[in-house]
Amino acid sequence: MIKSKEDYLYYLEADKIALGERRKHPHLISIWESDIIWKYQILLRKVEYLHNVKKNPIKKAYYKFCQYRLFRMQLKTGFSIPINVFGPGLSIAHIGPIIINGFAKVGNNCRLHPFVIIGIDGRTGKVANVGNDVYLSNGCKLLGDITIGDGIVIAAGAVVTKSFLDKDSIIGGGASKSNFIFRKSFSNGT
């Protein structure tokens, strides 16, 4: 969570690295998808920063203005990503619908693709906690009170309704009973 100006700058730099951007700033007039995503993430982090720091009347007004701009950008991109959910190093792969519950917690260096949903299951009203270095492929859904460990890849279209804590694994499948887990050591290249 961003609690200071230093945290804010760190999050911006981590997001920039995760997105693979080498320039200092996005283009002023964005015609590239990567620039639009980068601008969205910068605005998301700015709203998080303004929300979390002590507010004087000027910062409050600026926060409301930035919050409105973020809302407008969410309508254009299809992203529904609340503030203070993702750690540093967020990387959104493409523009398209992404729906994240405001009570979810996601660690550092998460990669999101379109049609990802992190939501409640309707029975418990609780939501997922996702670890660091997690890759969420197209159309995957994380539903309910589950925990996803560090370094896990959720395969495209997977519906995950139970916890997986095995580090550096791939999870796929449709329902919680047919989920499969494939363990592969990514560290030694095999």
Side-chain angles (χ1 to χ4, degrees):
M1 182 184 297
I2 299 173
K3 295 183 179 179
S4 67
K5 180 84 170 187
E6 292 77 26
D7 289 347
Y8 171 62
L9 296 173
Y10 171 72
Y11 273 60
L12 287 178
E13 186 63 26
D15 289 354
K16 178 180 154 185
I17 291 168
L19 288 169
E21 295 294 341
R22 298 174 195 260
R23 295 173 282 132
K24 277 187 149 185
H25 305 287
H27 292 110
L28 184 61
I29 298 173
S30 301
I31 60 169
W32 304 103
E33 180 182 40
S34 61
D35 275 347
I36 294 167
I37 292 169
W38 191 12
K39 283 182 177 182
Y40 172 82
Q41 288 188 210
I42 290 170
L43 189 56
L44 176 70
R45 298 307 187 180
K46 184 180 286 187
V47 171
E48 287 178 1
Y49 169 68
L50 292 170
H51 179 267
N52 296 337
V53 297
K54 293 183 181 177
K55 299 176 201 138
N56 60 34
I58 294 171
K59 280 190 179 176
K60 255 186 196 178
Y62 186 57
Y63 165 69
K64 288 296 184 186
F65 172 72
C66 289
Q67 192 178 32
Y68 174 73
R69 284 183 51 216
L70 182 65
F71 172 73
R72 298 282 300 174
M73 204 160 193
Q74 286 177 336
L75 292 176
K76 290 178 184 177
T77 59
F79 303 152
S80 178
I81 301 175
I83 61 172
N84 297 323
V85 171
F86 286 90
L90 171 63
S91 175
I92 300 172
H94 299 286
I95 292 174
I98 297 173
I99 301 170
I100 310 296
N101 185 288
F103 294 107
K105 289 297 173 205
V106 181
N108 305 342
N109 304 319
C110 179
R111 175 89 167 167
L112 292 173
H113 283 268
F115 301 100
V116 167
I117 296 174
I118 301 177
I120 61 173
D121 65 358
R123 295 181 300 246
T124 63
K126 295 185 180 176
V127 70
N129 286 317
V130 180
N132 299 324
D133 304 313
V134 173
Y135 185 93
L136 301 172
S137 298
N138 290 352
C140 72
K141 293 156 186 59
L142 308 177
L143 303 173
D145 187 16
I146 61 173
T147 302
I148 302 298
D150 295 341
I152 290 182
V153 174
I154 309 291
V159 178
V160 182
T161 59
K162 65 180 183 177
S163 295
F164 289 94
L165 301 174
D166 295 338
K167 195 171 183 158
D168 300 329
S169 302
I170 299 172
I171 300 169
S176 60
K177 292 184 178 166
S178 66
N179 277 352
F180 66 86
I181 186 166
F182 176 74
R183 291 177 190 89
K184 179 174 177 159
S185 174
F186 297 109
S187 58
N188 64 7
T190 59

